[in-house]
């Protein structure tokens, strides 16, 4: 009876020590490796330069040219950011073909806003009215609604324009970098069966504990 009690106590002590030992072992993935989650830096913004030539038609909304549209030929350069903001410049020439073909006016504008909606503000010159002009406009895909101010005549001239400028394509952010501490190797998490807590961005840091070749 005394030996039986001693055996039970010994077995209980062994099981409790095994449980403590198992709880203190680092989390492992495939046999012979220890896996830990890598460090990930924050994503960074990115941008793209969008250069585009375009054409269109412009109608003077005051009816001064009998609502015959002028031909627009232009070029636009935009810095498109991954946050969907844009900024750049627009230059265009407006050609009149009522009677004879002639240069009606030229404009150089700053462009800013978002990919879907932009504002224009700038200066130009009207050959038809022999006047420096200020110009401002709101622009969306394929359209622009604006107004010119003729300084010599102190007159506002609103216009509506249809053109070939569609919204710039989006730009994706640059992904953050994934790194491991010294002595660890960065590998695919699925290759070593790492758990979700041991991985980031589909990768994990592995340390060979000597059980794998």
């Amino acid at each position: 009876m005394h030996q039986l009690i001693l055996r039970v106590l010994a077995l209980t002590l062994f099981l409790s020590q095994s449980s403590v030992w198992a709880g203190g072992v680092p989390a492992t993935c495939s046999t012979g490796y220890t896996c830990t989650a890598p460090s990930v830096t924050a994503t960074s913004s990115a941008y793209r330069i969008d250069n585009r030539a375009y054409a269109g038609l412009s109608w003077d909304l005051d009816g001064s040219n009998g609502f015959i549209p002028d031909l627009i030929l232009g070029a636009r350069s935009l810095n498109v950011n991954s946050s969907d903001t844009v900024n750049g410049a627009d230059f265009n020439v407006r050609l009149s073909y009522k009677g004879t073909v002639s240069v009606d006016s030229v404009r150089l504008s700053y462009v800013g806003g978002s990919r879907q909606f932009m504002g224009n503000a700038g200066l130009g010159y009207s050959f038809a009215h022999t006047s420096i002009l200020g110009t401002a406009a709101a622009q969306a895909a394929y359209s622009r609604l604006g107004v010119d101010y003729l300084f010599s005549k102190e007159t506002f001239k609103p216009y509506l324009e249809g053109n070939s400028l569609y919204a710039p394509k989006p730009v994706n952010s640059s992904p953050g970098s994934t790194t491991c501490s010294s002595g660890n190797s960065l590998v695919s998490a699925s290759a070593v069966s790492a758990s979700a807590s041991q991985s980031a961005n589909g990768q994990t840091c592995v340390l060979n504990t000597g059980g794998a070749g």
Side-chain angles (χ1 to χ4, degrees):
M1 185 65 179
H2 179 69
Q3 291 182 349
L4 178 61
I5 293 174
L6 290 177
R7 289 177 181 177
V8 171
L9 290 174
L11 179 61
T12 302
L13 180 62
F14 172 79
L15 291 176
S16 63
Q17 290 298 319
S18 297
S19 177
V20 171
W21 177 81
V25 173
T28 58
C29 33
S30 296
T31 302
Y33 292 101
T34 297
C35 291
T36 54
S39 300
V40 181
T41 61
T43 58
S44 58
S45 62
Y47 71 93
R48 173 176 51 83
I49 302 298
D50 184 278
N51 295 322
R52 198 174 306 171
Y54 66 94
L57 296 174
S58 179
W59 288 264
D60 284 334
L61 298 181
D62 61 3
S64 59
N65 65 349
F67 295 105
I68 298 174
D70 292 333
L71 175 64
I72 300 290
L73 298 176
R76 186 182 72 183
S77 179
L78 292 179
N79 182 324
V80 185
N81 197 281
S82 54
S83 62
D84 274 357
T85 59
V86 302
N87 63 83
D90 183 298
F91 176 77
N92 64 68
V93 178
R94 186 176 295 184
L95 301 175
S96 175
Y97 51 86
K98 185 178 181 180
T100 59
V101 178
S102 60
V103 178
D104 178 88
S105 54
V106 294
R107 291 164 184 76
L108 177 62
S109 301
Y110 167 80
V111 182
S114 67
R115 289 191 309 106
Q116 294 78 19
F117 186 80
M118 307 169 206
N120 297 184
L123 293 171
Y125 186 80
S126 172
F127 296 95
H129 299 283
T130 318
S131 174
I132 296 175
L133 60 86
T135 186
Q139 182 177 344
Y142 306 112
S143 62
R144 180 157 42 196
L145 177 64
V147 61
D148 294 333
Y149 179 74
L150 301 175
F151 288 96
S152 66
K153 297 182 177 297
E154 298 182 349
T155 302
F156 289 97
K157 292 182 66 65
Y159 65 88
L160 175 64
E161 179 183 318
N163 56 52
S164 58
L165 288 171
Y166 52 88
K169 295 180 180 179
V171 177
N172 295 325
S173 300
S174 299
S177 60
T178 308
T179 57
C180 295
S181 58
S182 178
N184 288 262
S185 301
L186 185 66
V187 301
S188 170
S190 60
V192 291
S193 303
S195 67
S197 63
Q198 299 167 339
S199 58
N201 292 342
Q203 296 177 301
T204 186
C205 297
V206 297
L207 179 66
N208 192 330
T209 57

